[in-house]
Amino acid sequence: MSTNAPTVAGRTAEPLHPAAQGMTPPAGGLQSYPPVARWDDWEEYDPKAWPRKVPRRYRLIPTICFNCEAGCGLLAYVDRETGQLQKFEGNPEHPGSRGRNCAKGPATLNQVEDPERIRYPLKRVGKRGGGQWQRVSWHEVLDDLAGRIRKALQEDRRNEVMYHVGRPGHELVYHQRIMHAWGIDGHNSHTNVCSASARAGYAFWSGLDRPSPDHAHARFILLLSSHLETGHYFNPHAQRIMEGKKRGAKVCAIDTRLSNTASMADYWLSPWPGTEAALLLAMCQILITERLYDREFLRRWVNWAEYLREEHPDKPQTFESFEAILPTLYAPYTPEFAERESGVAAGAIVEIAREIGRAGSAFATHVWRNAAAGNLGGWQVARALQFLSVLVGAVATAGGTAPSFYNKAIPAPPLMPPPAKVWSELLYPQEYPLAFFEMSFLLPHFLREGRGKLDTYFTRVYNPVWTNPDGFSWVEMLTDEAKIGVHACLTPIWSETAWFADYVLPMGHGPERHDLMSQETHAARWIGFRQPVLRVALEREGKRFATTWEAHATAGLGEVWEEDEFWIELSWRIDPDGTLGIRKWFESPYQPGHKLTVDDFYRWIFEHSVPGLPEAARREGLEPLAYMRKYGAFLVEDGVYRTHEKALGPNDLEGAVIDPGSGLVTKGGATLGIQVDGQAMVGFPTPSRKLEFFSKTLKDWKWPELALPAYIRSHVHWSAIDRSRGEFLLLPTFRLPTLIHTRSGNAKWLYEISHANPLWLHPEDAARLGVATDDLLKICTEIGAFVDKVWVTEAIRPGVIACSHHLGRWRLAEDTGGDRWSTALVNLETPGPGQWRLRTVHQNLTFPVQPDPVSGQHCWHQKVRAERPGPTDRYGDVVVDTNRAHEVYRRWLAMARPAPGPGNLRRPLWLPRAYKPDASSYRM
């Protein structure tokens, strides 16, 4: 072996290839990434030409991955000779991902090169869902949509225009500008089939609806469900959990399944789904009774005084009184009680609780979907989990968990319009005043009940026919032209929903458009810049384009556009002469009266709204926009901790009033912060400006029995499951780490990795049912049934069946409507009114809507019956009754406690809401 061979831990390491043994090591050693100075002209050998050394030269252009919510950085390798994309690798300058990507990042190349992607605007010909399309121009599309919207606004039919987004590329404020400028309350989202309950649980505590754990500096990490391997922040979180592990942190995974995450954890707890809050509150009870909590943190930052005023006015209003009461509140939540509820051994619960107590302020936690999203009352899982963090003082600390807003950079845009004075009951109906957020998955039922109609309906990277529960009710709505006037589907790929649109409009994938990303990946604030890499490459060659679709046409992609320019152009056509007051919000801040361009928009933001960026750019002799086009990301602030303790400044306090009882600091009718131990600080964005152990909001809005962190038995509690009758709990919420909901349908590499979706079944249950791996089972829900293959495994609890929601794609035509490698060609049958049948394994179609009455979250877990298929049943069969689905919707609707609340309000003014309208609109 060559003496130049590298060494690992004191031993000689074998090179990756024998031919490398005789090579001389490069000066300075090997590099993990191309240096930034060479990004514009990078040379490497063509791997396909091996063993010949054929050099190829590339421009390396940074952008942002779109294949989950983490917003990891990518480097696009654009061949300088051909102008074609060669590959995507990680961007080492990105503060969140640091040059590392999971499989979904490189697979972006599949999405760009997909031979079956939509390349030109298409308009329906014939009936909706008939599958007949004609190519049209962008000008024709814009004129038609603008005319409809202008007419609706002029006739004050503002609630008939709706934008329904599945995955927002714009994580910041771009679309808020559009909705406000048009004067509508028209933003709908997918949140209530995703994360509403977790958001609600966190927001009732801190006023902010997402957690941001500092895994890298934690001493103990508690993950609910398979977040590390498959969650939104898989890659940035996984990196930092590994760093924490190297520093000695222990990991506990609470997941009914033995996920990959659980298999790598120090502790795996497998509770009955829906009992997680009981488990967590038992841990809280141990911390309280053994006095393992951070007394000073509770005294300073928990609203115990408000709790005593409201619930115990007869007792001394002191922290000592609260300390005396607290153990009595959680005395029922013994480890033995939690064991009876969850099936997890009491001893394990005690051991984990004491580990958390020892970790103290370096205790990092996270819950997002599974446990919270699956169950009635799932929002209390997040409340209970955050209670653990609060008890040990691990809130916004090194190694703890911060509210998300602390670790996001949200720069102000130019020209933000004032909010509209309008409220859409189709988004926030009276029945769900505390929902997080829009009750989007109930839209077909609202329109069926005659609550309204839509003139112009946009769906954007949103596939409710496939993703949502009760998808055939969506088909019925989308094909009814009396309910939906025109449906424009903005999508990079075909989907089951696009098939039922009037316009299918090709919008770019991650490397084909502009927008900003900032996510709470760790204890820092950063901003990432997504940009259309082929347009940037062409413009570096001296070419200029008025629009991104023209650049893409030049690059050979067809007329694939981007939302930024689409919305600007549409807004100008809605208000061509400015008389509606819309156009002015889409004029250049640098050239008044001229149309805003994407360069204008991001140039202004980078020059005015990102602290430190102009200075960093100046040091390199660059303008801020050029800096971001070069690097693709910028670290605004690192080591962000204890933001709630930020002191109010002299200007804030001048003329302010401090309430002697509550400590609230107010000025001009607005609350600025809280005085704690004589110090005026910003606190948390809650009514009390403290962490709200006691939620007066829940009490005032008709849920007094749930004002404290508590355990709510799920709608699929084990006591409601009769296993002797073949009844099971179906757990459908887990994700496959390589797939991306709808968007992975045209990523061939990812489907080569993951393409099977069996029913997980415990051996005990398999023996009782008489089935083995690869046998078929028929799973009957309240509104239908599906047939799938079985995988017998000890990685699931007895009595529980699990099936991922990521597979089962379908198309209705042989050569269009979906990529053939990821979709099944099906025959969609309607034997009678409300009766639907097709053959592809997709369980969501058979689920009724089950809205949690507080958070509005669809409760995904299902009580089902498993049986052997009949003689006519086949693999993949799906049958659904939408009339029965509407009956189930009505039953769950009856559980709600509608507005108004205090002050005749539709919703608490302080509670987070996407794209808040004017405060006057909150009054009924």
Side-chain angles (χ1 to χ4, degrees):
M1 180 175 289
S2 167
T3 57
N4 293 325
T7 61
V8 177
R11 62 182 175 81
T12 302
E14 185 70 26
L16 293 176
H17 193 279
Q21 293 181 12
M23 297 177 68
T24 302
L30 295 173
Q31 292 183 319
S32 298
Y33 305 96
V36 177
R38 295 174 59 189
W39 280 6
D40 202 47
D41 193 3
W42 173 250
E43 183 178 291
E44 61 183 41
Y45 293 135
D46 185 347
K48 293 182 179 179
W50 179 267
R52 293 179 298 117
K53 296 178 180 179
V54 178
R56 295 181 67 173
R57 293 169 59 210
Y58 302 97
R59 295 187 192 274
L60 274 53
I61 300 172
T63 190
I64 302 293
C65 184
F66 186 55
N67 287 340
C68 86
E69 199 174 353
C72 297
L74 293 177
L75 281 180
Y77 283 60
V78 181
D79 191 298
R80 291 180 63 98
E81 180 180 347
T82 66
Q84 300 300 302
L85 279 165
Q86 172 68 15
K87 61 180 177 179
F88 289 91
E89 292 190 349
N91 178 3
E93 298 297 314
H94 189 289
S97 55
R98 303 180 292 189
R100 308 166 205 174
N101 294 102
C102 71
K104 297 191 285 289
T108 300
L109 185 66
N110 295 161
Q111 298 170 315
V112 174
E113 296 183 341
D114 174 20
E116 299 184 23
R117 69 177 297 181
I118 306 160
R119 297 182 181 272
Y120 300 94
L122 300 175
K123 183 178 182 179
R124 168 177 62 91
V125 178
K127 69 176 184 177
R128 279 190 191 155
Q132 300 299 310
W133 308 92
Q134 67 178 14
R135 177 177 164 182
V136 293
S137 71
W138 278 112
H139 295 294
E140 182 178 344
V141 172
L142 290 162
D143 285 343
D144 185 18
L145 295 175
R148 297 185 69 100
I149 296 169
R150 183 189 315 116
K151 190 171 188 291
L153 298 182
Q154 289 171 334
E155 296 176 358
D156 200 25
R157 294 183 285 111
R158 296 174 181 273
N159 285 339
E160 293 186 16
V161 180
M162 183 180 290
Y163 167 73
H164 208 156
V165 61
R167 172 55 52 222
H170 303 80
E171 295 293 347
L172 307 177
V173 293
Y174 193 91
H175 282 103
Q176 185 170 340
R177 295 180 68 253
I178 299 161
M179 302 295 109
H180 286 351
W182 291 4
I184 66 173
D185 185 22
H187 174 271
N188 211 340
S189 72
H190 80 299
T191 303
N192 275 26
V193 298
C194 179
S195 56
S197 273
R199 289 174 183 268
Y202 283 114
F204 290 140
W205 265 108
S206 65
L208 297 165
D209 63 354
R210 300 175 75 138
S212 180
D214 184 24
H215 290 132
H217 302 102
R219 288 189 287 269
F220 194 82
I221 298 169
L222 180 59
L223 302 171
L224 266 68
S225 77
S226 59
H227 184 81
L228 167 58
E229 72 176 276
T230 62
H232 281 317
Y233 306 142
F234 156 69
N235 170 36
H237 276 186
Q239 296 179 32
R240 291 167 175 87
I241 290 173
M242 288 189 285
E243 289 171 10
K245 287 273 287 178
K246 287 180 179 179
R247 291 183 172 124
K250 292 183 179 179
V251 175
C252 174
I254 299 178
D255 193 343
T256 302
R257 297 180 312 117
L258 180 60
S259 62
N260 291 344
T261 304
S263 72
M264 300 296 290
D266 298 282
Y267 300 92
W268 172 44
L269 308 184
S270 175
W272 182 268
T275 63
E276 292 86 355
L279 193 68
L280 297 169
L281 291 174
M283 295 177 187
C284 291
Q285 194 252 19
I286 294 295
L287 295 178
I288 292 167
T289 57
E290 297 186 6
R291 297 185 70 83
L292 299 175
Y293 58 87
D294 185 332
R295 186 177 188 275
E296 270 298 283
F297 183 81
L298 264 62
R299 183 188 67 80
R300 286 167 56 84
W301 286 110
V302 170
N303 70 332
W304 57 266
E306 184 177 30
Y307 168 70
L308 291 177
R309 285 196 303 271
E310 288 285 327
E311 302 297 301
H312 299 281
D314 56 326
K315 287 185 167 52
Q317 302 293 292
T318 63
F319 182 69
E320 289 71 21
S321 289
F322 175 71
E323 275 192 297
I325 293 169
L326 189 59
T328 68
L329 296 174
Y330 291 93
Y333 293 102
T334 63
E336 292 73 24
F337 165 78
E339 179 177 352
R340 291 193 298 272
E341 284 295 295
S342 69
V344 174
I349 296 170
V350 173
E351 183 177 350
I352 299 301
R354 289 172 178 163
E355 289 277 12
I356 293 168
R358 283 190 288 270
S361 62
F363 167 55
T365 71
H366 200 287
V367 63
W368 197 233
R369 294 195 67 224
N370 200 339
N375 301 288
L376 176 68
W379 55 276
Q380 284 282 26
V381 175
R383 283 276 276 166
L385 183 63
Q386 181 69 354
F387 192 19
L388 278 172
S389 297
V390 171
L391 283 169
V392 294
V395 178
T397 54
T401 304
S404 60
F405 184 77
Y406 293 4
N407 297 333
K408 294 187 76 164
I410 305 180
L415 308 170
M416 175 59 84
K421 296 180 179 180
V422 61
W423 187 283
S424 174
E425 290 278 351
L426 291 178
L427 303 177
Y428 292 90
Q430 296 178 27
E431 290 91 343
Y432 299 96
L434 304 178
F436 278 74
F437 293 110
E438 307 90 356
M439 297 301 298
S440 63
F441 65 100
L442 300 186
L443 185 61
H445 295 281
F446 290 163
L447 298 191
R448 178 170 175 166
E449 290 178 327
R451 296 192 185 204
K453 62 179 181 178
L454 297 175
D455 178 275
T456 307
Y457 180 55
F458 295 95
T459 52
R460 194 273 189 201
V461 193
Y462 185 50
N463 189 13
V465 170
W466 182 80
T467 302
N468 283 10
D470 190 18
F472 286 129
S473 287
W474 283 85
V475 174
E476 292 174 352
M477 179 191 80
L478 293 172
T479 53
D480 188 342
E481 296 188 38
K483 293 184 173 70
I484 308 286
V486 66
H487 171 200
C489 184
L490 282 62
T491 177
I493 62 171
W494 278 107
S495 71
E496 290 81 350
T497 299
W499 192 257
F500 298 99
D502 299 297
Y503 287 109
V504 179
L505 306 179
M507 294 293 167
H509 287 286
E512 298 171 343
R513 66 174 198 270
H514 292 91
D515 56 60
L516 298 178
M517 287 290 289
S518 182
Q519 298 292 12
E520 57 275 16
T521 54
H522 61 295
R525 295 193 301 128
W526 56 264
I527 191 161
F529 187 35
R530 188 176 278 128
Q531 55 183 339
V533 297
L534 292 179
R535 177 178 180 173
V536 172
L538 289 168
E539 290 184 339
R540 288 184 185 176
E541 294 175 2
K543 299 180 175 66
R544 291 292 177 263
F545 304 95
T547 65
T548 295
W549 73 257
E550 292 169 304
H552 285 156
T554 301
L557 286 182
E559 296 179 1
V560 175
W561 209 0
E562 61 166 301
E563 287 89 344
D564 280 18
E565 292 178 344
F566 173 82
W567 295 115
I568 293 168
E569 186 61 40
L570 182 59
S571 298
W572 267 65
R573 297 194 188 207
I574 292 170
D575 188 17
D577 57 7
T579 56
L580 296 180
I582 294 173
R583 200 184 86 169
K584 64 183 179 182
W585 302 110
F586 300 91
E587 294 180 356
S588 170
Y590 301 100
Q591 293 181 289
H594 290 256
K595 189 181 299 179
L596 181 70
T597 67
V598 287
D599 275 7
D600 290 338
F601 185 77
Y602 292 107
R603 173 188 166 191
W604 193 96
I605 287 177
F606 296 149
E607 288 177 350
H608 297 90
S609 299
V610 182
L613 175 56
E615 293 77 13
R618 194 177 304 119
R619 286 192 291 271
E620 296 204 15
L622 297 172
E623 295 298 322
L625 176 59
Y627 181 98
M628 291 300 288
R629 289 213 183 277
K630 177 180 179 179
Y631 289 97
F634 180 72
L635 179 64
V636 178
E637 184 180 5
D638 203 0
V640 179
Y641 300 112
R642 302 186 185 277
T643 304
H644 56 282
E645 295 183 354
K646 180 183 176 182
L648 295 175
N651 292 337
D652 297 319
L653 294 174
E654 185 178 354
V657 176
I658 300 176
D659 184 273
S662 65
L664 290 174
V665 181
T666 59
K667 184 177 179 179
T671 302
L672 303 182
I674 182 81
Q675 187 179 71
V676 179
D677 292 343
Q679 295 178 294
M681 296 175 276
V682 295
F684 297 90
T686 59
S688 67
R689 286 285 168 155
K690 292 193 174 185
L691 292 165
E692 299 207 337
F693 165 76
F694 166 74
S695 174
K696 192 170 186 302
T697 297
L698 283 166
K699 179 181 179 180
D700 289 347
W701 287 78
K702 307 176 185 178
W703 296 97
E705 73 277 22
L706 300 178
L708 302 181
Y711 167 52
I712 301 170
R713 277 192 165 186
S714 174
H715 63 296
V716 287
H717 188 263
W718 51 262
S719 63
I721 306 293
D722 188 346
R723 293 173 63 193
S724 68
R725 296 167 55 105
E727 292 179 354
F728 286 84
L729 184 156
L730 174 61
L731 189 156
T733 48
F734 71 93
R735 303 167 56 143
L736 300 176
T738 54
L739 298 184
I740 324 130
H741 301 305
T742 290
R743 297 191 304 289
S744 53
N746 72 337
K748 187 172 184 291
W749 293 342
L750 300 182
Y751 265 79
E752 289 172 349
I753 298 171
S754 302
H755 46 263
N757 195 28
L759 296 166
W760 296 38
L761 189 69
H762 191 272
E764 176 185 312
D765 294 319
R768 186 161 45 85
L769 292 169
V771 295
T773 294
D774 288 335
D775 286 347
L776 296 180
L777 270 183
K778 184 176 183 179
I779 304 300
C780 303
T781 71
E782 273 201 274
I783 67 169
F786 67 96
V787 179
D788 195 4
K789 292 181 180 179
V790 167
W791 179 44
V792 179
T793 173
E794 292 183 342
I796 193 71
R797 287 185 63 91
V800 178
I801 293 175
C803 185
S804 172
H805 67 281
H806 259 128
L807 291 167
R809 303 297 305 281
W810 47 276
R811 69 188 192 282
L812 295 174
E814 176 62 45
D815 57 355
T816 189
D819 286 83
R820 282 169 284 182
W821 60 65
S822 63
T823 61
L825 179 64
V826 302
N827 181 28
L828 186 58
E829 302 173 6
T830 53
Q835 306 298 309
W836 296 85
R837 179 187 300 272
L838 59 73
R839 182 166 291 161
T840 182
V841 179
H842 186 55
Q843 58 188 340
N844 294 13
L845 290 165
T846 69
F847 298 165
V849 296
Q850 299 179 154
D852 183 272
V854 175
S855 70
Q857 169 80 55
H858 170 62
C859 303
W860 278 102
H861 293 168
Q862 304 286 318
K863 176 182 175 179
V864 300
R865 187 180 71 259
E867 59 187 39
R868 297 298 297 271
T872 62
D873 293 323
R874 296 292 183 270
Y875 174 60
D877 278 356
V878 174
V879 293
V880 173
D881 181 343
T882 56
N883 292 321
R884 176 61 182 148
H886 192 67
E887 293 173 7
V888 177
Y889 152 76
R890 294 295 302 175
R891 189 178 78 233
W892 279 75
L893 186 71
M895 298 166 61
R897 300 178 188 177
N904 204 36
L905 292 176
R906 302 174 184 272
R907 180 181 179 86
L909 283 164
W910 76 272
L911 205 62
R913 181 207 194 277
Y915 301 3
K916 279 189 173 184
D918 186 84
S920 63
S921 303
Y922 278 67
R923 301 202 180 276
M924 294 182 65

